Amino acid sequence: MIHPDIEQVLYTEEQLRSRVREVGAQITADYAGRAPMLISVLRGSYIFMADLTRAIDLDVTVDFMAVSSYGAGTTSSGQVEIKKDLSDSIEGKDLIIVEDILDSGNTLYYLMDVLRARKPASIRICALMDKPERRTKPITADYVGFTIPDAFIVGYGLDYAEKYRNLPYVGVLKPGVYGE
Ligand code: PRP
C-alpha cells in the first residue's frame, strides 16, 4: 500500500535491497584485508547504514554523527553545526562516510574538513542518492547508490518535516504536501 502523500515510487524495497547489496560488495572488494569505520551522518542515513553494514563482509566498525545546516540552506555559505559528535577516535582509520543523500554538498564539504583534521588514514564517501545537478561545493561521492533528478523524495530514512522516514521504499512526495 502506497502512502497517500506519495506521487510515485522511485525505488521499490526490492530495488533498494539489490542496489545496497551491490554497493556493499564493492566496498568489501575495495577494502579487502582492511577494517573500515563507517560513519553514519544522522538522521537520514540510519536505514541505509543498517542495511549497508550488513552487506559488507569485513570487520567494520560503526560510529554516528549528527549535523545540521545553519539558516534556510539556500545560500552557499553552508555553515554546518555538529549536533552529535563521534564517540571514538578516527586517527589512522579508513573512514567511509555514509549519507542518505548528497545534494548541494555543503554538509560533506564541511564535514570532510572537520574529519581530515583528526588524521584518519583515508576518507571515502558513500551516498545512497546523489543529485549532482544541485551541487554547489566540489564534493564527489566514491560510492553512489542511485543518481537521481532534482525531485522531492522521501522514505528509506529520508524525511519531509521529520515524516516518511519509515517508508520502506523511496518515493516522490506530492507537491501539494509541501506547498507549491
Ligand atoms: C540531508 C542529508 C545530508 C544533507 C545533504 O540531511 O542527510 O546530510 O541533507 O544536503 P547537502 O548536500 O545540501 O548538504 P538533513 O539536513 O535533511 O537532515 P536529516 O539527515 O536529519 O534528515
Side-chain angles (χ1 to χ4, degrees):
M1 192 63 175
I2 302 303
H3 192 290
D5 294 350
I6 297 298
E7 184 170 74
Q8 178 207 346
V9 173
L10 201 56
Y11 299 110
T12 63
E13 208 173 339
E14 189 47 50
Q15 287 173 311
L16 289 164
R17 186 177 307 128
S18 152
R19 184 66 189 126
V20 172
R21 282 201 187 126
E22 287 175 1
V23 174
Q26 185 64 55
I27 290 173
T28 301
D30 290 353
Y31 286 81
R34 290 190 281 166
M37 175 190 272
L38 276 75
I39 294 180
S40 166
V41 185
L42 298 170
R43 287 176 252 183
S45 67
Y46 77 109
I47 292 180
F48 177 42
M49 176 75 166
D51 286 344
L52 181 67
T53 51
R54 285 178 290 181
I56 298 174
D57 189 14
L58 297 169
D59 290 333
V60 300
T61 57
V62 301
D63 207 341
F64 300 86
M65 208 165 178
V67 298
S68 73
S69 299
Y70 280 142
T74 48
T75 51
S76 58
S77 61
Q79 273 287 67
V80 173
E81 184 187 7
I82 296 179
K83 295 284 194 185
K84 177 211 175 302
D85 209 336
L86 298 170
S87 300
D88 296 336
S89 164
I90 58 171
E91 192 173 342
K93 298 278 173 63
D94 290 311
L95 306 184
I96 302 176
I97 304 178
V98 179
E99 266 286 23
D100 53 324
I101 189 158
L102 180 49
D103 194 311
S104 70
N106 280 334
T107 305
L108 285 180
Y109 187 76
Y110 169 82
L111 209 53
M112 290 288 278
D113 253 11
V114 169
L115 296 179
R116 263 194 293 258
R118 301 182 189 178
K119 309 264 188 282
S122 66
I123 310 182
R124 283 188 183 172
I125 295 169
C126 178
L128 178 64
M129 307 278 166
D130 187 11
K131 285 183 179 176
E133 66 193 69
R134 294 262 306 164
R135 203 81 86 252
T136 59
K137 288 288 197 311
I139 290 287
T140 311
D142 302 279
Y143 303 97
V144 172
F146 302 97
T147 301
I148 59 167
D150 185 17
F152 207 133
I153 57 166
V154 295
Y156 197 72
L158 286 90
D159 75 312
Y160 170 64
E162 295 306 326
K163 273 178 74 177
Y164 313 109
R165 293 195 197 271
N166 61 320
L167 301 182
Y169 49 85
V170 169
V172 179
L173 202 57
K174 285 180 181 166
V177 177
Y178 57 89
E180 303 346 294

